Amino acid sequence: MAESLELLAPAADKSVAKAAIDCGADAVYIGAPRFGARVKAGNSVSDIAETVRYAHFYGAKVYVTLNTVLSDAEWPEACRMAWQCHEAGVDAFIIQDMAWLTADNRPPAVWHASTQCDIRTPEKARMLAEAGVSRLILARELNLDEIGAIHAAVPVELEAFVHGALCVSYSGQCYMSEYLFGRSGNRGECAQACRLAYDLVNASGKRLQTGLHLLSLKDLALGAYVADMAARGIRSFKIEGRLKDICYVRNVTAHYRRVLDNVMAEAGAAAYRRASVGTIRLGFEPDLEKGFHRPYGTHFIDSAKTGEKASLYTPKAMGEAIGRVRSGSGRRWLLETAKPLRSGDGLCFFDAGRQLVGFGLNEVRSEPAGGRVWIQTAKDVALFPGAQVFRNQDLAFEKLLRSDRAASRRVVIKGGFAYEAGRATLWAQDEEGIAVRLEWPADYAAADNIERMRDNLRKQMLKTGDMPFEWTDFDTGTPPFIPIAELNARRRELLSALYEKRVAAHTAPVVTAAPPAGTLPPTDENGRVQTRLDYRANVANEWAERFYRRRGVTQVTRGRQPGQWLMQCKYCIRYELRQCPRHFKNTDPDYQQDLFLIYKAHTFALHFDCARERMEVCALKNGHDA
């Protein structure tokens, strides 16, 4: 049987969720009113219920995020909220706290283990699968072989990110924001400490780098690897961005819908199938270079490939490269570009100090020869001949993405009409075989002109109004005379009935099985059994502690102790700067000493575990590791 491949899009709210579904998402993930990993992206239960109804019409799914670490005091409210969302029909919950896998007052729901659970080994995957998780959202640092090993180890679904912003630390294992600003990423309040500018110094006190964004990674873009990921067992392909606007979500979702459709077409119907239905029509051409994004990278997915992974000079969006400055001064500059520019567009460039400078366009005038445009900026800018210019705001493209014509999605149906012996029948069936019939007693007069009546019947029935259907065929039979007003009323009744039947057909299944009593113990990244857990296990309540004690853990430390280990990364600063002695020749000896990051009054030690390709960031206290 063909495997279902799901495109999973982010939704800040119900309007973004609907836009994502219209552009081809097979599922959306959306924040509960509280306790999601994006504290500013909460939604009311009524809005979630509306989103569920919209999604289920297309056979799409809605996953609600409850992926923060909970305190004992918060558990009753979180549990009530989960029950409300469950009763609203959500298809699954995305969770980080192990309390959801052991508490006896939780709803009988489907549970997906968040990427915040730091799932990067088969042993961790097996423990969560045995504990009752139906899907694992894998760490973004895994390569194809590591994904394949986890797929071979567990019988549950695997989900992976394919696009969007990337945390420098393993998710769920970053405490930098909390340490610096008192805002925990595990509580949905990340202050993005990884996007700050740092100095790099060595043990001799030599400043090796100044003011670089040494922990700020490029955005992820794995469209070229979707087929390989599917072959290794990934069944859900996730787009990051629950804080992104409707323009971003429409554009990126539409792009990856095409990618996934091409992968399925090349593999054949026997291999893969879409996870939802509906014909999608776009009013724009997807373009990943437009809209918000940092430079793109494929990062760790292909272990054979290396390359720069950080956006060292800016954590901001640069947009699409449009050309270079030829000449000019003040507010008037001549650009060499093949891109159409418009007044109001936003441009940016790196100045002589490698700082990103943005400016708006007041006026654009093309040169007769083509390929060059004169621009007048909104203010004097320090442009210079040869400067590469990027467009980070394309107003025309954004206007198109925000319009009601940006995208539509229709379920294909066919149907017919029959009249015999004083009884009329109207029926419709969709592309999944879901069908409805209307029958009513009637004593219609014969039509004076059969062909004209057939034309009228077909014309009225092929209308859909505001219903998201699209007729492909309608059999008129031999109709009697029926007033147009009645035809329209019967059509609306028929399509409304089919709409409701479709929504009901895709209602989330009721989970009736008792929660599993798993006993597999937690392990470290080397597969060794852990009997003592520190703050990095993210245990903050009694239920989560019980989860681990049932699995042989004898000591559990709740919460985080300030001043300790703050971050573990697959990314390595020495490698990024081409100063890793294992991979590069002629490295600078200054980089082979102990290295430190400095942010204002804070100093952080860097520990390099080259054998396991890890870098750790630790806070210092009185000049020594805390």
Side-chain angles (χ1 to χ4, degrees):
M1 182 177 178
E3 294 277 359
S4 172
L5 297 187
E6 174 185 275
L7 177 60
L8 176 56
D13 55 37
K14 65 180 181 182
S15 63
V16 177
K18 293 176 181 178
I21 292 167
D22 288 346
C23 288
D26 299 305
V28 295
Y29 60 107
I30 189 169
R34 286 190 65 197
F35 309 121
R38 298 291 184 272
V39 72
K40 295 181 180 179
N43 292 271
S44 69
V45 174
S46 61
D47 280 358
I48 290 171
E50 185 177 332
T51 302
V52 167
R53 179 176 168 81
Y54 192 88
H56 284 181
F57 171 78
Y58 297 101
K61 295 182 178 180
V62 177
Y63 308 136
V64 165
T65 59
L66 284 170
N67 54 340
T68 59
V69 174
L70 301 164
S71 68
D72 285 316
E74 290 171 328
W75 177 253
E77 181 186 354
C79 199
R80 284 194 301 271
M81 193 177 296
W83 272 99
Q84 291 171 347
C85 292
H86 177 66
E87 290 165 355
V90 302
D91 296 276
F93 292 98
I94 300 173
I95 59 167
Q96 176 186 7
D97 200 308
M98 295 298 103
W100 295 111
L101 300 180
T102 194
D104 55 17
N105 55 347
R106 64 179 186 157
V110 175
W111 309 100
H112 294 177
S114 171
T115 192
Q116 295 291 114
C117 292
D118 186 28
I119 307 164
R120 45 180 149 138
T121 66
E123 292 80 10
K124 181 71 168 285
R126 278 194 290 265
M127 184 193 77
L128 291 169
E130 187 201 46
V133 167
S134 297
R135 177 182 292 185
L136 304 174
I137 306 170
L138 302 182
R140 284 171 267 198
E141 293 81 1
L142 299 183
N143 61 42
L144 291 169
D145 290 340
E146 290 167 333
I147 290 171
I150 291 177
H151 175 58
V154 295
V156 300
E157 293 179 346
L158 300 184
E159 176 181 311
F161 283 90
V162 290
H163 193 89
L166 196 65
C167 303
V168 69
S169 173
Y170 286 105
S171 294
Q173 296 294 289
C174 180
Y175 306 90
M176 196 79 151
S177 174
E178 183 180 0
Y179 178 85
L180 286 173
F181 307 111
R183 293 169 52 183
S184 170
N186 287 316
R187 299 279 296 159
E189 300 172 333
C190 180
Q192 294 193 316
C194 58
R195 303 299 180 187
L196 299 174
Y198 294 88
D199 291 352
L200 182 68
V201 301
N202 65 14
S204 299
K206 185 174 183 179
R207 201 164 296 263
L208 305 175
Q209 301 289 342
T210 302
L212 291 187
H213 300 271
L214 291 162
L215 297 175
S216 181
L217 295 190
K218 296 178 179 180
D219 284 358
L220 190 66
L222 297 182
Y225 289 89
V226 166
D228 294 322
M229 294 168 73
R232 300 311 197 283
I234 298 300
R235 294 296 173 260
S236 180
F237 299 84
K238 188 172 193 173
I239 299 166
E240 181 274 339
R242 273 198 302 123
L243 294 178
K244 298 295 197 301
D245 66 10
I246 198 168
C247 296
Y248 176 93
V249 173
R250 275 181 169 150
N251 185 32
V252 177
T253 301
H255 172 85
Y256 280 92
R257 178 72 272 159
R258 289 184 177 178
V259 171
L260 209 57
D261 286 348
N262 288 338
V263 167
M264 291 187 289
E266 290 179 7
Y272 303 126
R273 60 183 175 85
R274 279 183 62 185
S276 63
V277 300
T279 300
I280 298 147
R281 290 187 172 84
L282 300 178
F284 66 95
E285 185 63 27
D287 187 344
L288 291 185
E289 291 301 321
K290 296 180 182 290
F292 183 95
H293 72 88
R294 301 174 185 88
Y296 288 126
T298 58
H299 293 284
F300 309 104
I301 193 70
D302 188 342
S303 58
K305 287 191 174 183
T306 59
E308 297 178 350
K309 294 177 173 60
S311 180
L312 296 174
Y313 298 101
T314 180
K316 299 178 181 178
M318 293 164 52
E320 59 178 334
I322 62 167
R324 291 188 179 274
V325 175
R326 183 172 180 84
S327 61
S329 63
R331 295 176 57 191
R332 287 181 56 79
W333 298 89
L334 180 63
L335 297 186
E336 293 181 336
T337 179
K339 301 284 186 179
L341 301 179
R342 303 166 187 86
S343 297
D345 281 355
L347 304 186
C348 61
F349 70 102
F350 286 101
D351 66 13
R354 294 297 293 173
Q355 295 297 308
L356 190 67
V357 178
F359 60 94
L361 292 185
N362 275 7
E363 183 182 339
V364 179
R365 182 169 56 84
S366 298
E367 287 278 275
R372 298 179 184 177
V373 297
W374 281 99
I375 63 170
Q376 180 172 313
T377 64
K379 59 181 180 181
D380 286 355
V381 291
L383 279 168
F384 54 90
Q388 185 173 21
V389 179
F390 303 85
R391 176 165 54 187
N392 55 11
Q393 185 176 31
D394 185 333
L395 288 184
F397 190 62
E398 287 188 10
K399 182 178 180 180
L400 194 58
L401 287 171
R402 291 187 189 280
S403 74
D404 293 337
R405 301 187 303 276
S408 64
R409 186 168 178 172
R410 298 287 184 267
V411 172
V412 172
I413 58 174
K414 61 183 179 180
F417 172 82
Y419 178 69
E420 185 176 358
R423 192 160 194 84
T425 301
L426 193 60
W427 64 273
Q429 178 177 306
D430 66 27
E431 54 195 277
E432 291 185 285
I434 299 172
V436 293
R437 296 175 67 87
L438 295 182
E439 295 186 5
W440 66 96
D443 187 15
Y444 295 121
D448 293 335
N449 187 319
I450 292 293
E451 288 307 314
R452 182 183 300 169
M453 190 63 227
R454 282 175 173 155
D455 290 342
N456 284 339
L457 176 58
R458 182 178 290 105
K459 180 180 178 181
Q460 299 308 315
M461 292 308 302
L462 294 184
K463 295 177 181 179
T464 57
D466 59 356
M467 285 289 184
F469 292 110
E470 180 177 297
W471 291 95
T472 58
D473 185 45
F474 187 83
D475 183 2
T476 61
T478 305
F481 174 77
I482 307 174
I484 289 179
E486 183 177 353
L487 286 177
N488 290 335
R490 296 293 183 184
R491 181 197 69 237
R492 287 192 291 268
E493 184 181 0
L494 179 76
L495 296 184
S496 294
L498 184 55
Y499 190 102
E500 296 302 325
K501 194 167 184 179
R502 282 197 54 78
V503 171
H506 295 290
T507 298
V510 177
V511 179
T512 57
T519 58
L520 283 177
T523 56
D524 63 17
E525 61 181 304
N526 295 313
R528 295 188 297 255
V529 171
Q530 294 177 291
T531 58
R532 303 174 65 185
L533 299 177
D534 62 17
Y535 62 89
R536 287 170 286 187
N538 296 322
V539 175
N541 60 70
E542 180 64 28
W543 286 112
E545 187 170 334
R546 289 185 193 181
F547 175 90
Y548 286 113
R549 292 196 181 279
R550 288 176 182 175
R551 288 161 175 77
V553 175
T554 58
Q555 180 178 323
V556 178
T557 300
R558 294 201 198 182
R560 195 190 69 79
Q561 299 172 1
Q564 293 188 358
W565 180 100
L566 298 175
M567 188 184 287
Q568 186 181 77
C569 314
K570 179 82 168 177
Y571 162 81
C572 174
I573 286 177
R574 283 202 306 190
Y575 183 90
E576 185 70 15
L577 298 175
R578 303 183 68 82
Q579 297 297 333
C580 172
R582 296 186 68 202
H583 294 91
F584 301 104
K585 297 179 180 179
N586 303 318
T587 57
D588 188 337
D590 285 336
Y591 284 86
Q592 309 318 313
Q593 300 181 26
D594 289 342
L595 299 181
F596 305 86
L597 291 178
I598 297 178
Y599 171 73
K600 294 185 176 180
H602 301 280
T603 301
F604 305 95
L606 299 179
H607 295 164
F608 300 99
D609 184 346
C610 298
R612 294 187 296 173
E613 297 185 329
R614 304 281 188 270
M615 181 184 76
E616 294 181 351
V617 180
C618 300
L620 292 189
K621 186 175 182 180
N622 298 323
H624 301 283
D625 289 351

